[in-house]
Amino acid sequence: MQPDIEVPVLVVGGSLVGMSSAMLLGHYGVRSMVVEHHRGTAIHPRAAQITQRTMEIFRTVGVEQIVRRKSAEQFVQDGAIMGVETLAGKEVAYYIANLNEGIRDLSPCERVFISQSLLEPLLKQRAEELGADLRFATEMTSFEQDGSGVTAQIRHRDTGETATVHAQYMIAADGAHSRVRERLGIRMRGHGAFSNSITIYFRANVEPLLRGRNLSVIYVINPVLRGFFRIEIPFTSGFLAITALGDPEHPNTDVSAGLTDQRCLDLLHAALGVDDLPVQIEDVMRWQSEANTAERFREGNIFLAGDAAHVMPPHGGFGGNTGVQDAQNLAWKLAWMLNGGFASPNFLDTYDAERRPVCEFTVEQAYSRYVTRTAPYLAAKGFQPVAHDMNVELGYGYDGKLHEHPNESKARPGTRAPHLWLSDGHSTLDLLGSEFVFLAGPQWAGEEAFRIHRITHPEFPAAYGISPGGAVLVRPDGFVAWRGEGTPPPRT
Ligand SMILES: Cc1cc2nc3c(=O)[nH]c(=O)nc-3n(C[C@H](O)[C@H](O)[C@H](O)COP(=O)(O)OP(=O)(O)OC[C@H]3O[C@@H](n4cnc5c(N)ncnc54)[C@H](O)[C@@H]3O)c2cc1C
């Protein structure tokens, strides 16, 4: 049967990761169609901490500046990530004193806070500009795959209108409860689910309780509850996420059971540390704290990305960021296949081979932060040592080493090409594009098989681990494919 719609890539789910996928596919020159169940972009704020790496990815597609501007309207910049008994009361720990202190030289970009409800419309606009066909209020109801790709049925929720879509590839960015993953029989592995958590969205003037402190994330640890606050400018609204109640040694982790408005008010007051502050509850979201990774990220021409592939506690703010990195790793590879760069379908196996170990590591790191920051009762069951935030956020690698400090990798193949400010005010990362790019030292004398930038900056050879006669070949996702002297490898 002839499909109604033919498209190179169908993306199921148009939230943070689906929208990023569409935007990046457009950037790499691939047309995509996104189907999203909801009638618009995110309604709940959720993800807010955006890492330098995600901002670097946004920079390549031209949305970094607008994201920064919107972020500054919504949250304080360079705030602390810290722990308190209550917002009004005793401070327990400062995990990060200033969001960008000591990390500015690692990247042309900064860490920011922006909620998904503000970020997703920006990504949507850019995805559309880059040619994506976005269908909201539209559900994918079924799919089949054969040698030619994937055939899916979609249905408009309001009109009931249905259509058949044929795509060469499908990205399942359909979230933690991914029905695509379930249908494919792909299991999740890890620590399982360990809390029925809630997020309470509220309005209250908390400015006096902040006492002039510049805070981005405030973990609350007291005998009533464990969770965290995020407060928005002008400090009259925010959310409290709660993952456990009662005795910290023997907690009740079924937070969402028996929830009433009064119970939410009591919990908020217990976290704020004042009983008499007028508080208005706007919404309550129920979600599960889990730490799991899919046992495989690919089935034929279907790829899992974002929460469909890995679910982690929000401690560390890695979840959405990891999904954007999936989207980038996958988007350029699909583009390379579709645009005739590589012939071998095995090439696409590198998505699972590269991303899954990094995602497993990131999930473990989020779990370790969950245990050490708010759930010490889980410590006895074991957890990985907490790695430096920069190893997780910028220093993840595809060369088997998984992570290291980004200053250490020195453009080793499989690691992210390092940032260095050049004399014209651009970063080395700004020289990378949607194709492979050659960054060469001043004395390099090899053949020019790729687009080449000769870099005369005196610190370039040391930052990239080469002699002045050396060069590196960088992939479209900013990871190093080859480093050496002389002639580059053949283009296969
Ligand atoms: C309280 C909290 C705080 C967080 N803080 C951070 C943070 O600071 N930083 C961070 O990086 N992450 C954070 N996260 C995690 C982050 O929110 C998720 O990792 C992110 O939303 C995952 O995005 P996604 O696009 O993969 O999935 P989702 O956001 O779950 O989106 C999946 C989408 O697919 C759609 N869909 C599903 N099935 C279909 C279908 N059949 N047809 C059409 N559409 C479909 C759904 O409607 C949904 O919109 C936080 C999470 C929580 C709960």
Side-chain angles (χ1 to χ4, degrees):
M1 198 179 76
Q2 274 299 102
D4 303 307
I5 303 164
E6 184 74 51
V7 69
V9 182
L10 173 64
V11 182
V12 183
S15 184
L16 178 59
V17 175
M19 209 52 85
S20 297
S21 302
M23 189 175 68
L24 286 155
L25 284 165
H27 171 70
Y28 294 124
V30 171
R31 219 161 37 82
S32 68
M33 183 173 136
V34 178
V35 288
E36 167 53 51
H37 169 88
H38 290 118
R39 290 183 174 80
T41 45
I43 35 170
H44 289 299
R46 288 193 296 169
Q49 185 173 337
I50 305 297
T51 62
Q52 286 169 299
R53 183 63 191 148
T54 298
M55 289 299 273
E56 288 175 1
I57 295 171
F58 289 168
R59 185 179 175 98
T60 60
V61 295
V63 291
E64 181 207 6
Q65 288 310 321
I66 178 112
V67 171
R68 278 197 69 150
R69 275 203 303 282
K70 291 284 177 191
S71 138
E73 288 168 18
Q74 191 184 23
F75 288 106
V76 295
Q77 304 292 291
D78 298 338
I81 298 185
M82 49 97 71
V84 297
E85 283 182 358
T86 66
L87 191 57
K90 194 173 148 198
E91 294 179 355
V92 178
Y94 271 83
Y95 304 111
I96 294 176
N98 171 323
L99 203 61
N100 284 295
E101 200 171 85
I103 62 169
R104 284 200 168 86
D105 59 341
L106 297 174
S107 170
C109 305
E110 299 200 346
R111 279 172 167 166
V112 300
F113 270 78
I114 181 169
S115 63
Q116 274 170 249
S117 44
L118 216 62
L119 175 61
E120 287 181 22
L122 306 176
L123 306 184
K124 169 179 176 284
Q125 186 182 340
R126 190 67 186 128
E128 274 173 333
E129 284 166 6
L130 292 168
D133 176 358
L134 309 179
R135 312 268 179 123
F136 288 92
T138 304
E139 233 172 346
M140 188 201 60
T141 51
S142 65
F143 66 92
E144 300 293 337
Q145 65 170 325
D146 59 23
S148 74
V150 182
T151 305
Q153 297 297 322
I154 63 169
R155 181 180 159 278
H156 195 280
R157 287 172 63 203
D158 299 328
T159 63
E161 203 178 317
T162 60
T164 305
V165 184
H166 180 263
Q168 275 147 289
Y169 300 105
M170 184 166 97
I171 299 178
D174 55 344
H177 304 289
S178 168
R179 290 218 302 267
V180 174
R181 185 187 68 220
E182 204 180 284
R183 231 319 292 288
L184 296 172
I186 301 177
R187 285 172 305 183
M188 297 296 273
R189 288 195 302 224
H191 297 274
F194 32 85
S195 154
N196 291 324
S197 310
I198 60 167
T199 306
I200 306 172
Y201 298 94
F202 66 91
R203 290 201 162 272
N205 180 11
V206 296
E207 190 169 14
L209 307 184
L210 290 170
R211 306 193 295 279
R213 293 171 295 179
N214 193 22
L215 306 180
S216 289
V217 181
I218 309 141
Y219 287 96
V220 180
I221 309 113
N222 67 37
V224 177
L225 63 91
R226 257 77 58 219
F228 62 91
F229 278 115
R230 279 188 200 148
I231 311 288
E232 287 188 29
I233 293 170
F235 317 118
T236 52
S237 65
F239 74 65
L240 171 67
I242 307 176
T243 52
L245 303 171
D247 179 359
E249 292 305 319
H250 305 97
N252 170 8
T253 53
D254 197 2
V255 184
S256 60
L259 213 58
T260 60
D261 285 356
Q262 187 56 47
R263 179 88 184 114
C264 289
L265 276 178
D266 292 346
L267 290 170
L268 257 174
H269 281 129
L272 293 168
V274 286
D275 292 336
D276 52 355
L277 186 75
V279 173
Q280 191 186 330
I281 293 184
E282 299 221 297
D283 203 358
V284 178
M285 187 182 123
R286 291 165 161 80
W287 51 282
Q288 281 197 316
S289 293
E290 348 174 8
N292 297 314
T293 309
E295 62 187 358
R296 58 185 193 281
F297 284 10
R298 177 183 187 186
E299 180 73 42
N301 284 356
I302 303 175
F303 300 85
L304 306 183
D307 277 17
H310 41 75
V311 192
M312 61 193 89
H315 300 60
F318 302 141
N321 289 291
T322 311
V324 175
Q325 291 153 19
D326 296 341
Q328 192 206 27
N329 186 290
L330 184 54
W332 81 266
K333 289 174 181 171
L334 292 180
W336 210 249
M337 286 300 290
L338 287 160
N339 297 337
F342 282 98
S344 163
N346 294 342
F347 170 60
L348 292 175
D349 286 338
T350 63
Y351 172 64
D352 177 281
E354 292 185 342
R355 287 304 300 162
R356 196 159 46 79
V358 165
C359 294
E360 277 167 354
F361 162 70
T362 310
V363 167
E364 287 301 332
Q365 286 298 310
Y367 181 71
S368 297
R369 282 161 179 73
Y370 181 80
V371 174
T372 53
R373 290 180 187 176
T374 61
Y377 69 97
L378 289 173
K381 290 186 184 166
F383 62 94
Q384 282 187 5
V386 173
H388 193 292
D389 284 338
M390 283 303 109
N391 292 33
V392 186
E393 296 179 21
L394 274 183
Y396 62 91
Y398 301 141
D399 62 342
K401 202 170 172 189
L402 287 185
H403 69 100
E404 69 191 316
H405 193 276
N407 272 341
E408 303 294 317
S409 53
K410 307 255 184 273
R412 211 176 55 249
T415 66
R416 162 185 161 277
H419 152 72
L420 183 69
W421 285 120
L422 301 173
S423 45
D424 64 357
H426 285 98
S427 162
T428 42
L429 305 195
D430 296 332
L431 303 175
L432 312 177
S434 51
E435 294 284 330
F436 278 71
V437 171
F438 218 46
L439 302 183
Q443 293 165 24
W444 182 74
E447 275 176 45
E448 301 194 3
F450 295 88
R451 193 164 158 224
I452 178 165
H453 295 281
R454 281 177 191 279
I455 302 180
T456 53
H457 191 293
E459 287 171 33
F460 173 69
Y464 273 64
I466 53 172
S467 71
V472 299
L473 181 63
V474 188
R475 311 188 321 188
D477 62 350
F479 277 73
V480 176
W482 176 87
R483 180 180 66 174
E485 318 276 323
T487 306
R491 186 172 172 144
T492 50

